[in-house]
Amino acid sequence: MQDTLTLEQQIDLQITSSGPMSVATYMGICLTHPTKGYYKGADPLGARGDFVTAPEISQMFGELIGFWLVNLWQQMSEPKAFTLVELGPGRGTLMADILRVACRAPGFRDALKLRLFETNPALMAEQNARLEAYEPKWLQDFENFDDGPVLIVANEFFDALPIRQFVRKEDGWHERQIGLVDGKRAFGLSPTPIPTSAMPDAVADAPTDSMLEVAFAGAEVMTRLAKIVARQGGSILAIDYGYGSTQTGDTLQGVRRHTFANVLEAPGETDLSAHVDFGALANVARAGGLAVQPLATQGEFLKRLGIAERAAALSGANPGSAEDIRIAHDRLVGQDQMGTLFKVFCAHSPGLMPPGFVS
Ligand SMILES: C[S@@+](CC[C@H](N)C(=O)[O-])C[C@H]1O[C@@H](n2cnc3c(N)ncnc32)[C@H](O)[C@@H]1O
């Protein structure tokens, strides 16, 4: 396709020539088109970008996850070689905070192999600038891991993967598609129904017009990672907004410059994401041989790991920043802020007991 065309023109041309596209195809093009995708352009994170993530709010977030990782490494008898993977590392802030703390544990730094999975060249450069001292390598796929246990961390990664949407009608479920009406992009439904029996049991009784989201791309990633962790030992920690068991509802959202935006407008300039179905990810991880902790809210998880104590220690050391630290603490754990909306998922080798969860 001509790269001189804008992303809008490319999408509209594809619809004109091939017919309406699925939400997943649209999301995939908008987010990761090789030259014009949202995640291929300038750094979208931080105060001047479209959204602010937990590690960008406070170092406490990454530091506590650093302690958490050391705990698991110790539970595994401090292996002399292990791989630490971050999926979608953003600016490298989370990993820098993790490693500043974790590498204080004797032996952790020498045992560490750092691997990052990232699609955005601008962010890769930032990750390299922050993490160069730890000699990171970027994964192209989820094959060829070094021997030894694998600890995986992902903050706000799974919500950025494409989802499919289906709407219940009298004759079954119809896939939601994006077509052109009077030259403008609009949602519609595939005419071909999918039988109810082909959909998850959890939505068998869903009323007409219910919407089901299926995160096939996230499930694919989890399947591959679970296989590696089941074989080599370790864990997968994923933090995101989402829900604990498959349910109906439209969670696809667009955000541009800190404001909700129409998902069909400004493709490539609007962040598109969807809430994560952690119940579906848990099923995939269990099928791959892993144990799964009961989902925790971000607030509960961080409190159990000691965020109040960490905030007090930081404030004691920097009295001039105490108010900022209090505000950051409240943003991370507050029920009306990120504390309840964001959930913490952990799948791991049977036998490990990851802290921060209530089994
Ligand atoms: C919402 S940002 C979160 C960044 C970081 N984890 C944080 O919390 O600040 C999503 C991250 O995932 C990356 N990403 C999105 N889609 C991806 C994909 N398909 N493959 C690899 N990385 C992807 C983005 O470039 C970005 O680094």
Side-chain angles (χ1 to χ4, degrees), residues 1 10 16-17 65-66 83 118 132-133 178 194 211 233 256 263 268 280 297 305 316 321 330 336 342 351 353:
M1 203 174 280
Q10 295 195 29
T16 306
S17 59
I65 294 175
T83 304
E118 175 57 66
E132 203 174 4
I178 292 149
I194 297 166
M211 185 175 291
R256 199 159 65 248
V263 298
T297 66
L305 296 188
S321 302
D330 291 354
D336 53 345
F342 280 73
M353 289 194 297

PDB file of all heavy atoms in Angstrom, residues 1 10 16-17 65-66 83 118 132-133 178 194 211 233 256 263 268 280 297 305 316 321 330 336 342 351 353:
ATOM      1  N   MET A   1       0.838  -1.203   0.000  1.00  0.00           N
ATOM      2  CA  MET A   1       0.000   0.000   0.000  1.00  0.00           C
ATOM      3  C   MET A   1       0.877   1.259   0.000  1.00  0.00           C
ATOM      4  O   MET A   1       1.927   1.291   0.623  1.00  0.00           O
ATOM      5  CB  MET A   1      -0.898  -0.019   1.234  1.00  0.00           C
ATOM      6  CG  MET A   1      -2.125   0.811   1.083  1.00  0.00           C
ATOM      7  SD  MET A   1      -3.220   0.617   2.502  1.00  0.00           S
ATOM      8  CE  MET A   1      -4.044  -0.912   2.126  1.00  0.00           C
ATOM      9  N   GLN A  10      -5.459   5.001   3.971  1.00  0.00           N
ATOM     10  CA  GLN A  10      -5.120   3.583   3.780  1.00  0.00           C
ATOM     11  C   GLN A  10      -6.241   2.679   4.311  1.00  0.00           C
ATOM     12  O   GLN A  10      -6.603   1.687   3.689  1.00  0.00           O
ATOM     13  CB  GLN A  10      -3.800   3.267   4.489  1.00  0.00           C
ATOM     14  CG  GLN A  10      -2.618   3.997   3.874  1.00  0.00           C
ATOM     15  CD  GLN A  10      -1.286   3.427   4.313  1.00  0.00           C
ATOM     16  OE1 GLN A  10      -1.170   2.254   4.606  1.00  0.00           O
ATOM     17  NE2 GLN A  10      -0.265   4.267   4.331  1.00  0.00           N
ATOM     18  N   THR A  16     -12.817  -0.061   1.164  1.00  0.00           N
ATOM     19  CA  THR A  16     -13.454   0.057  -0.152  1.00  0.00           C
ATOM     20  C   THR A  16     -13.119  -1.153  -1.022  1.00  0.00           C
ATOM     21  O   THR A  16     -13.976  -1.705  -1.715  1.00  0.00           O
ATOM     22  CB  THR A  16     -12.986   1.352  -0.857  1.00  0.00           C
ATOM     23  OG1 THR A  16     -13.226   2.436   0.019  1.00  0.00           O
ATOM     24  CG2 THR A  16     -13.725   1.580  -2.157  1.00  0.00           C
ATOM     25  N   SER A  17     -11.851  -1.602  -0.937  1.00  0.00           N
ATOM     26  CA  SER A  17     -11.457  -2.690  -1.842  1.00  0.00           C
ATOM     27  C   SER A  17     -11.814  -4.063  -1.286  1.00  0.00           C
ATOM     28  O   SER A  17     -12.153  -4.969  -2.039  1.00  0.00           O
ATOM     29  CB  SER A  17      -9.958  -2.608  -2.148  1.00  0.00           C
ATOM     30  OG  SER A  17      -9.239  -2.695  -0.953  1.00  0.00           O
ATOM     31  N   ILE A  65       7.626  -3.680  43.032  1.00  0.00           N
ATOM     32  CA  ILE A  65       7.685  -4.850  42.140  1.00  0.00           C
ATOM     33  C   ILE A  65       9.107  -5.421  42.141  1.00  0.00           C
ATOM     34  O   ILE A  65       9.303  -6.636  42.034  1.00  0.00           O
ATOM     35  CB  ILE A  65       7.184  -4.483  40.729  1.00  0.00           C
ATOM     36  CG1 ILE A  65       5.696  -4.143  40.817  1.00  0.00           C
ATOM     37  CG2 ILE A  65       7.414  -5.626  39.734  1.00  0.00           C
ATOM     38  CD1 ILE A  65       5.068  -3.650  39.538  1.00  0.00           C
ATOM     39  N   GLY A  66      10.093  -4.563  42.324  1.00  0.00           N
ATOM     40  CA  GLY A  66      11.479  -5.036  42.456  1.00  0.00           C
ATOM     41  C   GLY A  66      11.628  -5.956  43.672  1.00  0.00           C
ATOM     42  O   GLY A  66      12.207  -7.045  43.582  1.00  0.00           O
ATOM     43  N   THR A  83      16.087 -15.174  33.442  1.00  0.00           N
ATOM     44  CA  THR A  83      15.736 -14.119  32.490  1.00  0.00           C
ATOM     45  C   THR A  83      14.615 -13.277  33.069  1.00  0.00           C
ATOM     46  O   THR A  83      13.608 -13.817  33.538  1.00  0.00           O
ATOM     47  CB  THR A  83      15.281 -14.746  31.147  1.00  0.00           C
ATOM     48  OG1 THR A  83      16.331 -15.607  30.673  1.00  0.00           O
ATOM     49  CG2 THR A  83      15.017 -13.670  30.109  1.00  0.00           C
ATOM     50  N   GLU A 118       9.221  -4.901  22.709  1.00  0.00           N
ATOM     51  CA  GLU A 118       8.739  -3.545  22.431  1.00  0.00           C
ATOM     52  C   GLU A 118       8.573  -3.359  20.928  1.00  0.00           C
ATOM     53  O   GLU A 118       9.355  -3.871  20.145  1.00  0.00           O
ATOM     54  CB  GLU A 118       9.759  -2.532  22.981  1.00  0.00           C
ATOM     55  CG  GLU A 118       9.452  -1.080  22.670  1.00  0.00           C
ATOM     56  CD  GLU A 118       8.078  -0.647  23.170  1.00  0.00           C
ATOM     57  OE1 GLU A 118       7.873  -0.613  24.382  1.00  0.00           O
ATOM     58  OE2 GLU A 118       7.197  -0.373  22.326  1.00  0.00           O
ATOM     59  N   GLU A 132      20.817   0.678  29.747  1.00  0.00           N
ATOM     60  CA  GLU A 132      22.019   0.205  29.049  1.00  0.00           C
ATOM     61  C   GLU A 132      22.949  -0.573  29.977  1.00  0.00           C
ATOM     62  O   GLU A 132      23.531  -1.588  29.596  1.00  0.00           O
ATOM     63  CB  GLU A 132      22.747   1.431  28.487  1.00  0.00           C
ATOM     64  CG  GLU A 132      23.644   1.127  27.334  1.00  0.00           C
ATOM     65  CD  GLU A 132      24.208   2.403  26.744  1.00  0.00           C
ATOM     66  OE1 GLU A 132      23.945   3.511  27.288  1.00  0.00           O
ATOM     67  OE2 GLU A 132      24.926   2.288  25.742  1.00  0.00           O
ATOM     68  N   ALA A 133      23.080  -0.092  31.221  1.00  0.00           N
ATOM     69  CA  ALA A 133      24.027  -0.713  32.158  1.00  0.00           C
ATOM     70  C   ALA A 133      23.680  -2.169  32.429  1.00  0.00           C
ATOM     71  O   ALA A 133      24.540  -2.951  32.856  1.00  0.00           O
ATOM     72  CB  ALA A 133      24.027   0.071  33.468  1.00  0.00           C
ATOM     73  N   ILE A 178     -15.984  -2.546  10.941  1.00  0.00           N
ATOM     74  CA  ILE A 178     -15.905  -1.128  10.605  1.00  0.00           C
ATOM     75  C   ILE A 178     -15.990  -1.005   9.094  1.00  0.00           C
ATOM     76  O   ILE A 178     -15.195  -1.612   8.362  1.00  0.00           O
ATOM     77  CB  ILE A 178     -14.612  -0.520  11.167  1.00  0.00           C
ATOM     78  CG1 ILE A 178     -14.714  -0.518  12.705  1.00  0.00           C
ATOM     79  CG2 ILE A 178     -14.393   0.899  10.643  1.00  0.00           C
ATOM     80  CD1 ILE A 178     -13.441  -0.663  13.409  1.00  0.00           C
ATOM     81  N   ILE A 194     -22.643 -16.316  14.318  1.00  0.00           N
ATOM     82  CA  ILE A 194     -21.836 -17.388  14.914  1.00  0.00           C
ATOM     83  C   ILE A 194     -22.720 -18.032  15.974  1.00  0.00           C
ATOM     84  O   ILE A 194     -23.300 -17.322  16.807  1.00  0.00           O
ATOM     85  CB  ILE A 194     -20.556 -16.815  15.547  1.00  0.00           C
ATOM     86  CG1 ILE A 194     -19.699 -16.171  14.449  1.00  0.00           C
ATOM     87  CG2 ILE A 194     -19.775 -17.880  16.298  1.00  0.00           C
ATOM     88  CD1 ILE A 194     -18.597 -15.298  14.958  1.00  0.00           C
ATOM     89  N   MET A 211     -22.650  -7.203  24.118  1.00  0.00           N
ATOM     90  CA  MET A 211     -21.399  -7.263  23.358  1.00  0.00           C
ATOM     91  C   MET A 211     -20.375  -8.118  24.098  1.00  0.00           C
ATOM     92  O   MET A 211     -20.215  -8.000  25.308  1.00  0.00           O
ATOM     93  CB  MET A 211     -20.833  -5.864  23.153  1.00  0.00           C
ATOM     94  CG  MET A 211     -19.602  -5.898  22.252  1.00  0.00           C
ATOM     95  SD  MET A 211     -18.990  -4.283  21.861  1.00  0.00           S
ATOM     96  CE  MET A 211     -20.277  -3.660  20.822  1.00  0.00           C
ATOM     97  N   GLY A 233      10.250 -22.708  34.674  1.00  0.00           N
ATOM     98  CA  GLY A 233      10.008 -22.151  36.001  1.00  0.00           C
ATOM     99  C   GLY A 233       9.914 -20.637  35.939  1.00  0.00           C
ATOM    100  O   GLY A 233      10.478 -20.010  35.042  1.00  0.00           O
ATOM    101  N   ARG A 256      -6.928  10.582  23.444  1.00  0.00           N
ATOM    102  CA  ARG A 256      -5.996  11.478  22.757  1.00  0.00           C
ATOM    103  C   ARG A 256      -5.770  12.691  23.652  1.00  0.00           C
ATOM    104  O   ARG A 256      -6.711  13.331  24.070  1.00  0.00           O
ATOM    105  CB  ARG A 256      -6.582  11.890  21.399  1.00  0.00           C
ATOM    106  CG  ARG A 256      -5.561  12.413  20.453  1.00  0.00           C
ATOM    107  CD  ARG A 256      -5.981  12.353  18.980  1.00  0.00           C
ATOM    108  NE  ARG A 256      -7.100  13.200  18.650  1.00  0.00           N
ATOM    109  CZ  ARG A 256      -8.300  12.772  18.309  1.00  0.00           C
ATOM    110  NH1 ARG A 256      -8.565  11.477  18.252  1.00  0.00           N
ATOM    111  NH2 ARG A 256      -9.267  13.611  18.023  1.00  0.00           N
ATOM    112  N   VAL A 263     -13.138   6.361  18.746  1.00  0.00           N
ATOM    113  CA  VAL A 263     -12.155   5.370  18.283  1.00  0.00           C
ATOM    114  C   VAL A 263     -12.034   5.344  16.762  1.00  0.00           C
ATOM    115  O   VAL A 263     -11.033   4.861  16.227  1.00  0.00           O
ATOM    116  CB  VAL A 263     -12.474   3.947  18.800  1.00  0.00           C
ATOM    117  CG1 VAL A 263     -12.431   3.882  20.299  1.00  0.00           C
ATOM    118  CG2 VAL A 263     -13.808   3.451  18.293  1.00  0.00           C
ATOM    119  N   GLY A 268      -4.214   6.228  14.313  1.00  0.00           N
ATOM    120  CA  GLY A 268      -2.765   6.416  14.390  1.00  0.00           C
ATOM    121  C   GLY A 268      -2.379   7.544  15.333  1.00  0.00           C
ATOM    122  O   GLY A 268      -1.233   7.632  15.770  1.00  0.00           O
ATOM    123  N   ALA A 280     -10.102 -14.995  31.096  1.00  0.00           N
ATOM    124  CA  ALA A 280      -9.685 -15.743  29.904  1.00  0.00           C
ATOM    125  C   ALA A 280      -8.178 -16.008  29.947  1.00  0.00           C
ATOM    126  O   ALA A 280      -7.717 -17.112  29.609  1.00  0.00           O
ATOM    127  CB  ALA A 280     -10.066 -14.961  28.644  1.00  0.00           C
ATOM    128  N   THR A 297      -6.711  -6.279  43.312  1.00  0.00           N
ATOM    129  CA  THR A 297      -6.717  -4.920  42.766  1.00  0.00           C
ATOM    130  C   THR A 297      -5.308  -4.349  42.962  1.00  0.00           C
ATOM    131  O   THR A 297      -4.553  -4.790  43.842  1.00  0.00           O
ATOM    132  CB  THR A 297      -7.736  -4.017  43.473  1.00  0.00           C
ATOM    133  OG1 THR A 297      -7.314  -3.836  44.828  1.00  0.00           O
ATOM    134  CG2 THR A 297      -9.140  -4.603  43.417  1.00  0.00           C
ATOM    135  N   LEU A 305       2.241  -5.136  49.692  1.00  0.00           N
ATOM    136  CA  LEU A 305       3.696  -5.101  49.519  1.00  0.00           C
ATOM    137  C   LEU A 305       4.331  -3.973  50.335  1.00  0.00           C
ATOM    138  O   LEU A 305       5.554  -3.843  50.354  1.00  0.00           O
ATOM    139  CB  LEU A 305       4.054  -4.919  48.038  1.00  0.00           C
ATOM    140  CG  LEU A 305       3.658  -6.041  47.085  1.00  0.00           C
ATOM    141  CD1 LEU A 305       4.244  -5.798  45.703  1.00  0.00           C
ATOM    142  CD2 LEU A 305       4.099  -7.410  47.583  1.00  0.00           C
ATOM    143  N   GLY A 316      10.163  10.767  54.700  1.00  0.00           N
ATOM    144  CA  GLY A 316      11.118  11.067  55.772  1.00  0.00           C
ATOM    145  C   GLY A 316      12.451  11.528  55.205  1.00  0.00           C
ATOM    146  O   GLY A 316      13.084  12.452  55.717  1.00  0.00           O
ATOM    147  N   SER A 321       9.242  16.852  49.606  1.00  0.00           N
ATOM    148  CA  SER A 321       8.422  16.177  48.579  1.00  0.00           C
ATOM    149  C   SER A 321       7.271  15.385  49.196  1.00  0.00           C
ATOM    150  O   SER A 321       6.578  14.637  48.491  1.00  0.00           O
ATOM    151  CB  SER A 321       9.291  15.201  47.769  1.00  0.00           C
ATOM    152  OG  SER A 321      10.355  15.874  47.177  1.00  0.00           O
ATOM    153  N   ASP A 330      -1.775   8.117  46.764  1.00  0.00           N
ATOM    154  CA  ASP A 330      -3.236   8.061  46.645  1.00  0.00           C
ATOM    155  C   ASP A 330      -3.659   7.740  45.211  1.00  0.00           C
ATOM    156  O   ASP A 330      -4.645   7.036  44.992  1.00  0.00           O
ATOM    157  CB  ASP A 330      -3.864   9.391  47.102  1.00  0.00           C
ATOM    158  CG  ASP A 330      -3.709   9.584  48.605  1.00  0.00           C
ATOM    159  OD1 ASP A 330      -3.222   8.644  49.279  1.00  0.00           O
ATOM    160  OD2 ASP A 330      -4.042  10.682  49.105  1.00  0.00           O
ATOM    161  N   ASP A 336     -10.994   5.514  44.140  1.00  0.00           N
ATOM    162  CA  ASP A 336     -11.587   6.313  43.064  1.00  0.00           C
ATOM    163  C   ASP A 336     -10.529   6.690  42.031  1.00  0.00           C
ATOM    164  O   ASP A 336     -10.806   7.444  41.100  1.00  0.00           O
ATOM    165  CB  ASP A 336     -12.248   7.567  43.650  1.00  0.00           C
ATOM    166  CG  ASP A 336     -11.285   8.355  44.530  1.00  0.00           C
ATOM    167  OD1 ASP A 336     -10.225   7.779  44.895  1.00  0.00           O
ATOM    168  OD2 ASP A 336     -11.565   9.513  44.840  1.00  0.00           O
ATOM    169  N   PHE A 342      -7.468  -0.835  38.273  1.00  0.00           N
ATOM    170  CA  PHE A 342      -6.366  -1.675  37.808  1.00  0.00           C
ATOM    171  C   PHE A 342      -6.293  -2.944  38.639  1.00  0.00           C
ATOM    172  O   PHE A 342      -6.464  -2.917  39.852  1.00  0.00           O
ATOM    173  CB  PHE A 342      -5.038  -0.907  37.872  1.00  0.00           C
ATOM    174  CG  PHE A 342      -4.868   0.021  36.706  1.00  0.00           C
ATOM    175  CD1 PHE A 342      -5.601   1.195  36.624  1.00  0.00           C
ATOM    176  CD2 PHE A 342      -4.007  -0.292  35.663  1.00  0.00           C
ATOM    177  CE1 PHE A 342      -5.488   2.044  35.544  1.00  0.00           C
ATOM    178  CE2 PHE A 342      -3.890   0.552  34.570  1.00  0.00           C
ATOM    179  CZ  PHE A 342      -4.628   1.720  34.501  1.00  0.00           C
ATOM    180  N   GLY A 351       3.988 -24.270  43.193  1.00  0.00           N
ATOM    181  CA  GLY A 351       5.013 -24.371  44.247  1.00  0.00           C
ATOM    182  C   GLY A 351       5.495 -23.005  44.695  1.00  0.00           C
ATOM    183  O   GLY A 351       5.879 -22.833  45.845  1.00  0.00           O
ATOM    184  N   MET A 353       5.035 -19.102  45.870  1.00  0.00           N
ATOM    185  CA  MET A 353       3.989 -18.383  46.616  1.00  0.00           C
ATOM    186  C   MET A 353       4.222 -16.885  46.462  1.00  0.00           C
ATOM    187  O   MET A 353       4.855 -16.251  47.316  1.00  0.00           O
ATOM    188  CB  MET A 353       4.018 -18.793  48.085  1.00  0.00           C
ATOM    189  CG  MET A 353       3.524 -20.216  48.276  1.00  0.00           C
ATOM    190  SD  MET A 353       3.169 -20.590  49.987  1.00  0.00           S
ATOM    191  CE  MET A 353       4.760 -20.426  50.715  1.00  0.00           C
TER     192      MET A 353
END
